[in-house]
Amino acid sequence: MGIQAQQPLSVVDQARTIISERGEVIVKFVISSGSDVDHFSRIMSVDHVIGDTIIAYASEIQFERFLETDVPFRILQPPSLKLKEASITEKDAGQLQEGYPSYTEYIAMMEDYAENYSDITTLVDFGRSAEGRKLLALKITDHPGFREQEPVFLYTSTMHGDEVVGYVLMLRLIDELLTKYETDSRIKTLVDHIEIWINPVSNPDGTYFLSDESVYGATRFNANHVDLNRNFPNPLSGDHPDGNEWQPETVAMMNLMKGIRFSLAANIHSGAEVVNYPWDTWSRLHADDSWYREISRAYADTAQKYSPEGYMTFLENGITNGYAWYSITGGRQDYSNYFLHAREVTIELSDEKVPDESVLPAYWEYNKRSLLDYIEQVLFGISGTVTDERTGNALRAKISIAGHDRDSSEVYSSWEDGLYHRLINSGTYTVSFQSPGYHEESHTVNVPGRSSVRLDISLSPLMQPYKLYPNPFSDRMFIYISEDDGEILLDVFDLAGHKVISTAELIPAAGNQQIHLNGLVEGLYIIQLRYKDYVIKEKIIKTR
Ligand code: ZN
């Protein structure tokens, strides 16, 4: 090994000392031309790439792997330690936090918002971090106690614990939505028509690494020294692309995301100023690449308009395809896109990860319009419900666009209410609705720009789920069941409405089965079948 030849031992020792104290070290190095950035992205937590220069975080194991590459490096001071402790100001209780809150102030703010604006918000405690800190989100919408027929939007920030600008901006955004709901018609429209979820800090152990009192000393990794944005299942490298178990924060986030069935999200970071859209994993473009470019462009353009020259202009003037910048696996945006059939981008808000508190209001000013506009994007596209034509019950259906969808970009309607949202650019599309056991339907839809087209679909079953025969019957009656994934419950009533066969009969398997209708005298009866969501009544005739 050439470590000793290339690195002064003191630098390596120094890095190991930092790792032993903080669980991570930040290194900066230059790769030789033609060398593979992706190689470094696989062995450590690459944070930033500018040309040939890489800034990366390394845990103990990652640092030892990095040493094997023999690349000379410099150690960077953690951005959270550049913050002068004195710059963190004391706050008055109940006042909007313009600076970095302590952990207890944060919890109190979230609880106060939920209490003071209970008509339009609910506090959701969706889990615990590795060290037992609370993972909190506010659900902001009219009628927060109900699941309405509205699209669901999700902002989360600071899964890298030392990227704290987004954390403060999320608190500002919550404040903006709640305090201006009654007076600002734009905000009222967003809150009334969208279920908005905001999780300001998704890695509180990293953010409060040194103390619950302050973000000073925050780390990127969680308490187990894992980069949470490399810890999600990946379409290419499987469930555990980083070789680590899913962290408590990851499990909680996956459960939250699956539970709320969001259509659009953003994952907020710092360390650059750019909107990063899928994929991070591979070079193939997302089916909705043009839509992604458009919404990312809109975010960056608006931010540029309300900020000093040069802000949010990194890479392609403030936007980038993830893979084109540098590839990662285990990132959340690819997880959301591939496995949840949702849409998500990663917004890098500020070059400085932990700027002085005094500049935080400026970052809010640069971003507040973009943050609101981005929420609004969830309203545009095709939406509606899918139901069973006979029963009107909600159906889970696959909603896909021929010649357009690929790599899991299709969406699904919900089991619970049949609701779906297909965000898409303006254009004319042939949309197919498929559900097992039902006739497929296709509809051609014209979607004008920045508007929503409602398309409610009812699908007809492929066949009767059952068939009774013979009818009339003399001694035996049979039932043919076409599917084997449900039980049928039977009751028989006489014409006066009295139940004459009182115990329902369970028929668990598909195929032909005899049903026992002993003891019936000749005459007309009503047989009631309950199968899945169906309740079907049919006349049967008993003969001699
Ligand atoms: Zn980050």
Side-chain angles (χ1 to χ4, degrees):
M1 300 228 298
I3 297 165
Q4 281 77 0
Q6 299 220 354
Q7 306 291 344
L9 197 55
S10 62
V11 179
V12 174
D13 282 347
Q14 212 183 320
R16 286 181 178 140
T17 304
I18 293 167
I19 291 169
S20 71
E21 286 164 358
R22 296 179 52 75
E24 64 189 38
V25 67
I26 310 170
V27 293
K28 183 175 181 176
F29 52 95
V30 176
I31 56 169
S32 52
S33 59
S35 183
D36 189 5
V37 179
D38 294 348
H39 174 68
F40 292 94
S41 186
R42 279 189 293 271
I43 62 174
M44 62 209 300
S45 181
V46 170
D47 174 55
H48 202 41
V49 180
I50 313 170
D52 291 338
T53 303
I54 297 181
I55 296 171
Y57 288 57
S59 64
E60 187 178 2
I61 303 166
Q62 291 174 329
F63 182 68
E64 297 308 320
R65 274 188 243 150
F66 171 65
L67 285 182
E68 290 171 16
T69 66
D70 283 350
V71 175
F73 66 92
R74 247 166 22 86
I75 296 171
L76 296 188
Q77 189 191 5
S80 61
L81 291 173
K82 289 178 199 159
L83 190 68
K84 293 187 288 292
E85 274 182 278
S87 86
I88 299 171
T89 51
E90 293 260 329
K91 288 105 189 168
D92 297 330
Q95 168 201 325
L96 169 66
Q97 307 293 324
E98 298 219 333
Y100 301 116
S102 70
Y103 176 67
T104 35
E105 283 167 341
Y106 163 63
I107 302 295
M109 285 171 80
M110 295 291 275
E111 287 171 350
D112 286 351
Y113 281 129
E115 198 180 310
N116 297 337
Y117 297 91
S118 57
D119 288 352
I120 51 167
T121 191
T122 303
L123 181 62
V124 178
D125 179 338
F126 66 94
R128 291 290 176 275
S129 65
E131 289 184 334
R133 290 187 180 83
K134 288 181 178 178
L135 301 172
L136 299 177
L138 281 173
K139 173 187 178 185
I140 301 173
T141 186
D142 63 334
H143 314 113
F146 300 92
R147 176 77 181 101
E148 293 187 288
Q149 289 211 351
E150 293 174 354
V152 178
F153 178 91
L154 173 66
Y155 270 134
T156 83
S157 183
T158 314
M159 75 193 310
H160 289 150
D162 62 349
E163 298 171 10
V164 288
V165 176
Y167 174 22
V168 173
L169 263 50
M170 287 300 104
L171 292 169
R172 292 294 302 252
L173 180 64
I174 289 166
D175 196 80
E176 185 87 356
L177 292 170
L178 297 180
T179 61
K180 294 192 177 165
Y181 174 70
E182 298 289 355
T183 54
D184 184 318
S185 63
R186 170 103 195 283
I187 284 175
K188 185 166 168 41
T189 301
L190 294 179
V191 172
D192 284 352
H193 295 103
I194 303 169
E195 194 180 300
I196 302 166
W197 290 73
I198 302 177
N199 159 236
V201 55
S202 39
N203 177 11
D205 291 354
T207 300
Y208 296 103
F209 176 76
L210 279 186
S211 147
D212 275 348
E213 295 307 305
S214 162
V215 305
Y216 176 78
T219 58
R220 176 187 186 88
F221 296 162
N222 78 343
N224 297 329
H225 317 312
V226 172
D227 185 335
L228 298 177
N229 209 28
R230 308 289 185 274
N231 192 232
F232 283 82
N234 182 263
L236 209 57
S237 10
D239 276 353
H240 302 286
D242 60 355
N244 293 305
E245 287 304 299
W246 291 328
Q247 296 300 296
E249 296 86 352
T250 308
V251 172
M253 183 58 72
M254 291 196 291
N255 289 339
L256 177 76
M257 292 178 124
K258 287 176 195 166
I260 67 175
R261 300 188 278 111
F262 70 101
S263 294
L264 180 64
N267 182 2
I268 298 188
H269 289 247
S270 282
E273 293 167 0
V274 67
V275 180
N276 176 336
Y277 57 87
W279 302 96
D280 284 325
T281 298
W282 50 47
S283 59
R284 296 206 295 278
L285 298 181
H286 193 282
D288 294 293
D289 185 66
S290 67
W291 175 84
Y292 265 122
R293 293 180 59 83
E294 208 163 281
I295 63 165
S296 303
R297 191 69 269 147
Y299 190 100
D301 285 349
T302 304
Q304 285 174 13
K305 194 170 161 190
Y306 293 96
S307 61
E309 193 158 350
Y311 179 70
M312 196 68 76
T313 55
F314 187 49
L315 298 170
E316 217 181 305
N317 193 25
I319 71 170
T320 188
N321 169 282
Y323 187 89
W325 185 14
Y326 63 94
S327 83
I328 65 165
T329 62
R332 202 185 76 192
Q333 78 179 8
D334 284 7
Y335 167 76
S336 295
N337 275 271
Y338 194 85
F339 294 102
L340 304 183
H341 304 279
R343 302 293 180 264
E344 175 168 322
V345 302
T346 304
I347 302 173
E348 304 266 359
L349 278 182
S350 58
D351 286 340
E352 269 195 89
K353 292 190 176 191
V354 194
D356 190 88
E357 283 190 317
S358 62
V359 303
L360 292 172
Y363 281 108
W364 169 243
E365 189 56 30
Y366 305 163
N367 285 281
K368 68 179 182 187
R369 297 162 195 85
S370 295
L371 289 168
L372 291 170
D373 290 350
Y374 184 77
I375 297 174
E376 191 183 25
Q377 299 285 0
V378 79
L379 292 172
F380 308 137
I382 307 161
S383 68
T385 54
V386 184
T387 50
D388 178 302
E389 186 184 72
R390 274 195 317 185
T391 63
N393 291 331
L395 271 188
R396 180 169 168 86
K398 177 180 172 180
I399 296 140
S400 56
I401 300 171
H404 180 93
D405 279 321
R406 59 174 181 267
D407 298 331
S408 295
S409 65
E410 72 276 7
V411 300
Y412 288 82
S413 57
S414 156
W415 290 110
E416 291 163 47
D417 50 20
L419 200 61
Y420 73 91
H421 296 276
R422 179 58 168 91
L423 311 183
I424 200 157
N425 260 353
S426 60
T428 301
Y429 303 97
T430 301
V431 189
S432 299
F433 298 81
Q434 292 167 281
S435 187
Y438 290 84
H439 290 283
E440 180 179 342
E441 281 201 28
S442 290
H443 294 264
T444 300
V445 196
N446 180 255
V447 185
R450 288 180 71 76
S451 62
S452 178
V453 175
R454 176 98 192 182
L455 191 56
D456 292 331
I457 298 295
S458 54
L459 298 179
S460 58
L462 284 173
M463 58 174 111
Q464 292 273 83
Y466 70 91
K467 186 171 160 53
L468 289 171
Y469 70 95
N471 190 16
F473 72 102
S474 58
D475 53 346
R476 293 184 301 171
M477 175 174 261
F478 293 88
I479 185 164
Y480 175 77
I481 305 167
S482 58
E483 292 181 55
D484 65 353
D485 60 344
E487 293 176 338
I488 295 190
L489 296 143
L490 294 176
D491 291 299
V492 180
F493 300 87
D494 65 18
L495 290 181
H498 302 119
K499 200 182 274 189
V500 291
I501 292 183
S502 58
T503 308
E505 185 164 352
L506 303 175
I507 303 178
N512 283 300
Q513 292 185 50
Q514 185 178 346
I515 50 180
H516 301 279
L517 300 172
N518 303 328
L520 294 182
V521 298
E522 285 168 54
L524 190 60
Y525 297 88
I526 307 290
I527 188 165
Q528 177 184 280
L529 298 102
R530 278 174 289 156
Y531 171 74
K532 291 186 181 173
D533 296 331
Y534 300 99
V535 178
I536 299 154
K537 290 179 183 171
E538 200 164 303
K539 281 180 188 164
I540 53 172
I541 300 164
K542 161 81 175 172
T543 59
R544 189 178 291 275

